[in-house]
């Protein structure tokens, strides 16, 4: 859990102000806050709720509903495996298993050294390169079982 | 195409090509052009998907119409020296039509994608040169809102977001709702995994959507437009923002457009990764800052939508057709397509097909033409088995549907649907029971949980399918599966649950023998379901090297050096590592 220092509180308040503290803009506010901090822990949500004059329950409800928002800090190298239909048909399932085995974590988790986190996503529209894996912003296409280890080694 | 320049280089900027390229190719080419002092005569245009993703990055030299494929940074010098300076084609980079990789744009007809790839989407002048904003000018200065609406009705255009509702009719209904404030919403939440036509329009021709939204605003009496776009599409968002700003600068958005007193502004709202937000009532709740949960219709958004005001929701591709309809006339548009489905449709071809990517074809084209003539057939010459249309809400079409003319109604009649236009092609190696399970897994994750049939029913359906794939299914399960599917369809609140059992019902209708085999014969005919497979080591080939035993992650393989190894079937998790690692091909599967 992050402890929030004053300057961070000010940052959150500034984001809320940018959207006129309009609670209808909650999702835009959350996007920008997550861009700034990387994740949305409870105390951050509390400050947003206060500023937009809505309940924490409302904010938490929205954060937990949408898969884009996370309350857990991601690893230094977030691994995202595409589970779109095209990737599935071309063997994404096996690639996911290989990452799980090698990193020894499940989808939605972060390794103990906070180096890698694992998640799946739906279709980035690179269906011609299926199966596709994203590490940070870098895209790996036509990933095979053998190449998984090589890919991870790039980040060791 | 901009003819201020001697030549244009169209660099495919679809995500597939962008990601296949070793770096920012466009920046690099521009840098190189400067080096050769060519920057004034040659323009680099970022174009969108040309349906050849598997051989990307692709570059087309225009007006020569020469296409280079798999271009890397190191090829750029050759292209510049040989082609641009000496007018000689760099043969080694021309992709090989003989090998089935070549797709001439046969049978394609671009209306929604008319400008994609031919203009620079970040340059409003390019759009204006292509008759951009002419349609809006015409509407505002020559026609009443009613006349424009009638023109759209007459064109026969139906919503491309999945439902196929007549667009003009929707505009007419919204125009008749009385209110002090109305909204035009563009649904750019494109959630069907494997479909990316809306993104291509937004990335390749954002102004066509803005222009159409303004026309819609004029017709229904709205002065505010909102685009709800997926947060997963950063490039589309960037281009939209640029386009909106340029249109404002040119006075094409804002107050008193073309001096007619008509006002229209457009803002952007973001999704946050929820498939259900593509459904229009859920989308509206999400725009208001709430959970994306759908509500019962009526009231339809046309009557009570965003902030309880009348709201006209249309899909990106629907909007992209509008300026062309106004410019060329409803009769022209209505002359394309079938009796009840007019115009063209963009499909995203993916899966086991040679030419992956976007295509735009007239309604009424057959599946055979799409898969074999445009798609180049099945990868590795395998046998075509089925194609899933309509994503997780749709169904599969099989060999017997190959000659079916495709439109909204024929697809529904065949037990599938148009949906947003995703087409996933499957070959003989794909198990249809697993496929149904895959879609249900998606639905279980994406169900918003508001109504019980969808929240619980789909979960049960997924469990049953898993049971079948694990080889534990009974004949009773098959009956239950079908019955529960019908119940979920009939009782769910919104379109998500009302269509989610379609993949099950349609695979059961077309491939019942596969379901039967999983239960009664304990086998998976396509060999995809792991639980039915047994790995064993053959006496003939095993030399006793211990490699498989060492690599087995669960210690299921026993044996001594130079003696036959044996797999303990109780422990084996069927991961296949032994087979992969054995250099002597001693591990077999049955
Ligand atoms: C579960 C579900 C998901 C949907 N997803 C989308 C989508 O991603 N994009 C879209 O334009 N319409 C989607 N729709 C359809 C919309 O509800 C709505 O009908 C459409 O945006 C209307 O525009 P159109 O008439 O131009 O097609 C979805 C519907 C359902 C039931």
């Amino acid at each position: 859990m992050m402890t929030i220092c004053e300057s961070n509180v000010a940052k959150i308040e500034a984001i809320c102000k940018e959207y006129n503290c309009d609670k209808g803009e909650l999702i835009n506010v959350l996007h920008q806050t997550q861009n700034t901090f990387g994740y949305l822990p409870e105390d951050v949500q509390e400050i947003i709720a206060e500023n937009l004059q809505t309940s924490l329950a409302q904010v938490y409800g929205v954060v937990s509903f949408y898969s884009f928002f996370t309350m857990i800090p991601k690893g230094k190298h977030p691994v995202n495996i595409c589970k779109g239909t095209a990737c599935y048909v071309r063997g994404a399932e096996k690639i996911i298993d290989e990452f799980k085995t090698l990193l020894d974590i499940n989808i939605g988790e972060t390794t103990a050294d906070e180096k890698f986190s694992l998640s799946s996503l739906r279709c980035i529209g690179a269906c011609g390169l299926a199966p596709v894996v994203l590490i940070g912003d870098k895209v790996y296409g036509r990933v095979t079982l053998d190449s998984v280890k090589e890919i991870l080694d790039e980040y060791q | 195409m901009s003819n201020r320049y001697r030549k244009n280089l169209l660099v495919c900027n679809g995500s597939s090509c962008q990601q296949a390229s070793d770096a920012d190719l466009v920046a690099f080419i521009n840098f190189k052009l400067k080096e050769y002092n060519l920057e004034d005569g040659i323009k680099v245009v970022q174009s969108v998907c040309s349906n050849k993703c598997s051989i990307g990055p692709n570059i087309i030299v225009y007006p020569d119409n020469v296409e280079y494929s798999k271009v890397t940074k190191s090829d750029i010098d050759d292209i510049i020296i040989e082609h641009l300076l000496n007018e000689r084609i760099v043969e080694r980079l021309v992709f090989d039509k003989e090998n089935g990789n070549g797709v001439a744009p046969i049978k394609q007809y671009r209306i929604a994608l008319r400008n994609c790839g031919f203009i620079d989407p970040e340059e409003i002048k390019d759009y204006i040169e292509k008759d951009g904003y002419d349609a809006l000018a015409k509407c505002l200065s020559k026609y009443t809102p009613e006349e424009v609406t009638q023109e759209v009705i007459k064109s026969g255009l139906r919503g491309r977001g999945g439902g196929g509702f007549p667009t003009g009719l929707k505009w007419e209904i919204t125009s008749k709702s009385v209110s002090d404030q109305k909204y035009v919403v563009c649904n750019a939440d494109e959630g069907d995994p494997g479909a990316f036509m809306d993104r291509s329009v937004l990335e390749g021709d954002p102004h066509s959507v803005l222009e159409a939204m303004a026309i819609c605003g004029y017709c229904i009496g709205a002065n505010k437009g909102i685009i709800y776009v997926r947060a997963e599409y950063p490039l589309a968002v960037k281009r939209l923002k640029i386009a909106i700003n340029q249109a404002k600068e040119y006075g094409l958005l804002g107050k008193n457009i073309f001096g007619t007193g008509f006002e229209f502004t457009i803002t952007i709202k973001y999704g946050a990764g929820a498939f259900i937000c593509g459904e229009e009532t859920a989308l509206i709740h999400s725009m208001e800052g709430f959970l994306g949960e759908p509500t019962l219709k009526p009231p339809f958004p046309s009557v009570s939508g965003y902030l309880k005001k009348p709201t006209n929701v249309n899909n990106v591709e629907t909007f992209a057709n509008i300026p062309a309809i106004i410019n060329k006339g409803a009769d022209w548009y209505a002359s394309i397509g079938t009796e009840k489905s007019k115009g063209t449709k963009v499909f995203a071809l993916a899966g086991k097909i040679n030419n992956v990517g976007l295509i735009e074809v007239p309604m009424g084209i057959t599946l055979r033409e799409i898969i074999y003539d445009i798609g180049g057939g099945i990868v590795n010459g395998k046998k075509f088995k089925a194609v899933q249309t309509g994503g997780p809400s749709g169904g599969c079409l099989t060999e017997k549907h190959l000659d079916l003319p495709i439109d909204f109604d024929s697809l529904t009649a065949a037990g599938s649907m148009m949906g947003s236009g995703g087409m996933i092609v499957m070959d003989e190696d794909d198990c249809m029971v697993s496929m149904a399970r895959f879609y249900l897994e998606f639905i279980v994750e994406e169900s918003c949980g508001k109504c019980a049939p969808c929240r619980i029913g789909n979960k049960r359906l997924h469990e049953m399918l898993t049971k079948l794939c694990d080889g534990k299914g009974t004949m009773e399960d098959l009956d239950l599966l079908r019955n529960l599917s019908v119940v979920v369809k009939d009782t769910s609140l919104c379109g998500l649950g009302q269509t989610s059992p379609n993949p099950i019902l349609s695979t059961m209708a077309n491939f019942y023998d596969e379901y039967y085999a999983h239960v009664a014969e304990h086998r998976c005919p396509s060999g995809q379901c792991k639980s039915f497979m047994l790995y064993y080591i053959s006496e003939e080939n095993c030399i006793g090297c211990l490699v498989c035993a060492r690599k087995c992650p669960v210690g299921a393989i026993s044996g001594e050096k130079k003696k036959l190894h044996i797999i303990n079937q109780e422990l084996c998790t069927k991961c296949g590592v032994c087979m992969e690692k054995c250099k002597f091909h001693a591990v077999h599967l049955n």
Side-chain angles (χ1 to χ4, degrees):
Chain A
M1 181 66 51
M2 85 192 232
T3 40
I4 302 204
C5 65
E6 250 160 57
S7 75
N8 282 341
V9 174
K11 269 187 208 158
I12 300 170
E13 281 172 351
I15 292 172
C16 293
K17 281 222 181 74
E18 205 177 305
Y19 291 97
N20 295 323
C21 294
D22 176 358
K23 59 179 153 217
E25 297 287 345
L26 175 59
I27 292 174
N28 280 348
V29 169
L30 291 172
H31 269 301
Q32 210 164 320
T33 315
Q34 182 162 299
N35 276 348
T36 311
F37 298 108
Y39 69 120
L40 298 165
E42 198 181 314
D43 22 10
V44 168
Q45 294 179 36
E46 234 167 273
I47 299 171
I48 292 176
E50 252 167 55
N51 277 280
L52 301 187
Q53 299 197 349
T54 180
S55 64
L56 178 58
Q58 166 74 16
V59 177
Y60 174 75
V62 168
V63 169
S64 53
F65 182 88
Y66 293 96
S67 61
F68 210 81
F69 299 131
T70 172
M71 291 177 61
I72 306 166
K74 296 253 160 209
K76 191 164 159 232
H77 308 292
V79 181
N80 261 305
I81 304 165
C82 181
K83 261 171 86 181
T85 320
C87 287
Y88 171 79
V89 171
R90 293 202 179 180
E93 207 88 325
K94 282 188 190 149
I95 304 294
I96 294 180
D97 286 343
E98 187 70 7
F99 272 102
K100 279 186 187 167
T101 315
L102 290 180
L103 294 175
D104 199 18
I105 50 173
N106 266 319
I107 296 279
E109 293 179 355
T110 303
T111 51
D113 59 3
E114 291 181 5
K115 217 163 170 183
F116 295 100
S117 53
L118 199 55
S119 34
S120 64
L121 48 71
R122 301 281 180 193
C123 201
I124 55 167
C127 306
L129 301 175
V132 172
V133 173
L134 267 149
I135 299 190
D137 287 335
K138 184 149 184 213
V139 176
Y140 296 85
R142 301 201 186 95
V143 177
T144 61
L145 275 182
D146 285 330
S147 64
V148 171
K149 192 168 176 336
E150 285 164 32
I151 292 173
L152 283 175
D153 282 347
E154 282 179 35
Y155 297 88
Q156 290 302 346
Chain B
M1 180 63 46
S2 176
N3 45 24
R4 285 170 282 163
Y5 296 92
R6 182 169 68 86
K7 278 196 198 330
N8 286 268
L9 290 184
L10 309 184
V11 183
C12 183
N13 196 20
S15 293
S16 251
C17 283
Q18 234 184 31
Q19 288 149 0
S21 93
D22 43 3
D24 187 351
L25 210 54
V26 173
F28 184 76
I29 296 173
N30 274 323
F31 169 77
K32 278 283 174 189
L33 287 176
K34 271 210 187 91
E35 225 178 79
Y36 288 92
N37 273 329
L38 284 171
E39 77 266 33
D40 291 333
I42 310 279
K43 179 158 194 203
V44 182
V45 178
Q46 308 190 16
S47 74
V48 291
C49 193
S50 53
N51 177 229
K52 289 166 211 117
C53 307
S54 45
I55 48 169
N58 300 301
I59 295 182
I60 302 175
V61 184
Y62 194 91
D64 315 358
N65 247 336
V66 172
E67 172 150 23
Y68 296 121
S69 295
K70 294 199 172 171
V71 178
T72 62
K73 273 185 180 175
S74 54
D75 299 323
I76 300 299
D77 277 316
D78 274 6
I79 293 180
I80 293 179
I81 296 173
E82 286 293 303
H83 194 146
L84 301 183
L85 291 175
N86 291 314
E87 300 283 345
R88 281 195 299 254
I89 294 173
V90 188
E91 294 291 348
R92 69 177 175 87
L93 294 171
V94 175
F95 75 141
D96 189 354
K97 290 202 166 73
E98 248 89 86
N99 281 342
N101 276 333
V103 215
I106 34 160
K107 299 194 170 163
Q108 297 209 45
Y109 190 164
R110 291 178 154 221
I111 299 176
L113 300 177
R114 62 192 175 282
N115 291 330
C116 290
F118 298 102
I119 61 170
D120 179 346
E122 300 186 6
E123 182 49 74
I124 190 170
K125 281 190 195 136
D126 274 24
Y127 181 66
I128 291 173
E129 256 177 50
K130 296 290 236 177
D131 300 333
Y133 291 100
D134 268 10
L136 179 62
K138 226 195 225 167
C139 291
L140 294 185
S141 58
K142 288 203 193 129
Y143 300 110
T144 63
E146 292 73 32
E147 282 168 341
V148 179
T149 310
Q150 286 310 317
E151 191 73 3
V152 177
I153 291 179
K154 210 166 98 189
S155 74
L157 174 65
R158 294 168 67 173
R160 299 296 193 244
F165 191 82
T167 305
L169 199 58
K170 192 187 275 186
W171 290 16
E172 190 172 47
I173 297 169
T174 323
S175 73
K176 289 192 174 140
S177 299
V178 183
S179 172
D180 57 336
Q181 178 71 59
K182 295 184 193 178
Y183 294 98
V184 177
V185 169
C186 173
N187 186 345
D189 193 46
E190 194 163 56
D192 172 7
F196 51 96
M197 56 284 295
D198 291 352
R199 192 192 56 195
S200 288
V201 172
L202 296 175
E203 289 179 358
D205 192 15
H207 285 286
S208 70
V209 176
L210 304 185
E211 181 179 8
M213 287 176 75
I215 294 174
C216 176
Y218 178 65
C219 290
I220 67 164
N223 61 8
K224 286 203 169 91
I226 303 167
I227 302 172
Y228 183 93
V229 57
R230 298 181 75 189
E232 289 91 333
Y233 286 177
L235 185 62
V237 171
K238 180 182 149 211
R239 299 238 163 110
L240 275 174
K241 283 185 176 161
I242 294 175
I244 291 173
N245 283 336
Q246 289 182 343
K248 272 195 219 155
E249 247 170 63
Y250 277 66
L252 299 166
L253 286 177
K255 288 204 167 85
N256 197 18
I257 299 172
F258 292 120
T260 59
F262 175 64
E263 175 187 348
F264 198 76
T265 54
I266 295 178
T267 49
I268 302 177
K269 291 241 181 192
Y270 304 100
F275 174 65
I276 186 61
C277 288
E279 198 281 336
E280 53 193 10
T281 59
L283 178 138
I284 287 168
H285 295 303
S286 178
M287 283 182 6
E288 292 167 344
F290 297 110
L291 305 192
E293 285 178 340
T295 37
L296 215 53
K297 294 187 274 195
F300 287 93
S302 300
V303 175
S304 171
Y306 182 57
L307 305 177
K308 303 255 177 316
K309 304 289 183 187
T311 303
N312 191 95
V313 184
N314 275 128
N315 164 266
V316 172
E317 191 189 328
T318 313
F319 277 128
N321 280 293
I322 296 286
I325 290 174
I326 303 290
N327 279 333
K328 295 196 177 176
D331 292 330
W332 162 77
Y333 193 81
S335 70
I336 306 158
T338 63
E339 196 198 334
K340 295 214 170 114
S341 303
K342 299 300 184 190
T344 56
K345 177 78 193 90
V346 184
F347 291 102
L349 277 181
K352 308 272 182 65
I353 189 151
N354 278 318
N355 305 321
V356 173
L358 290 186
I359 60 167
E360 181 167 355
V361 288
M363 295 277 192
I365 193 172
T366 65
L367 209 50
R368 190 184 300 282
E369 290 172 284
I370 293 185
I371 292 175
Y372 291 96
D373 298 347
I374 303 174
I378 310 299
V379 176
N380 297 333
K382 293 247 178 171
K383 201 165 162 298
F384 166 75
K385 184 171 193 175
V387 51
Q388 176 86 11
T389 66
S393 312
C396 62
L397 301 172
T398 66
E399 220 174 342
K400 68 172 189 271
H401 300 114
L402 276 176
D403 293 308
L404 181 80
I406 293 177
D407 69 12
F408 282 105
D409 309 295
S410 67
L411 284 182
T412 311
S416 181
M417 63 184 253
M418 179 77 73
S420 55
M423 277 200 178
I424 306 286
V425 179
M426 288 163 267
D427 68 8
E428 53 195 306
D429 296 336
D430 290 307
C431 164
M432 301 313 283
V433 184
S434 309
M435 205 58 209
R437 185 181 65 152
F438 167 77
Y439 280 114
L440 263 290
E441 183 188 319
F442 175 83
I443 293 295
V444 168
E445 275 175 33
E446 295 296 340
S447 170
C448 78
K450 185 172 178 177
C451 75
C454 181
R455 180 182 68 242
I456 305 169
N458 281 318
K459 205 162 174 114
R460 290 291 97 84
L461 289 174
H462 179 248
E463 283 166 8
M464 279 181 221
L465 289 168
T466 306
K467 201 172 152 191
L468 293 180
C469 291
D470 286 348
K472 295 178 188 144
T474 64
M475 291 309 280
E476 265 176 356
D477 288 328
L478 293 188
D479 287 337
L480 203 55
L481 192 64
R482 188 181 283 123
N483 289 344
L484 184 57
S485 292
V486 175
V487 172
V488 171
K489 241 175 116 77
D490 287 347
T491 55
S492 289
L493 172 75
C494 82
L496 184 84
Q498 287 161 9
T499 56
S500 62
N502 283 353
I504 302 177
L505 291 170
S506 89
T507 47
M508 278 187 111
N510 289 304
F511 296 97
Y512 187 77
D513 52 325
E514 287 198 22
Y515 280 85
Y516 184 82
H518 279 72
V519 177
E521 297 162 8
H522 277 279
R523 65 188 185 92
C524 171
S526 49
Q528 205 191 351
C529 293
K530 279 200 261 176
S531 55
F532 296 104
M533 306 187 298
L534 287 183
Y535 284 89
Y536 66 95
I537 299 171
S538 79
E539 207 161 343
E540 269 163 50
N541 293 354
C542 178
I543 61 151
C545 68
L546 280 170
V547 164
C548 62
R550 260 186 245 124
K551 292 286 176 189
C552 177
V554 290
I557 303 178
S558 55
E560 289 169 33
K561 209 168 169 86
K562 298 205 172 141
K563 284 196 182 138
L564 175 68
H565 299 345
I566 293 165
I567 300 175
N568 181 342
Q569 299 297 344
E570 305 260 288
L571 294 177
C572 175
T573 58
K574 294 159 186 164
C575 67
V577 163
C578 48
M579 191 160 160
E580 222 168 87
K581 297 295 173 192
C582 179
K583 289 201 184 80
F584 308 96
H585 305 290
V587 182
H588 297 275
L589 195 62
N590 81 8

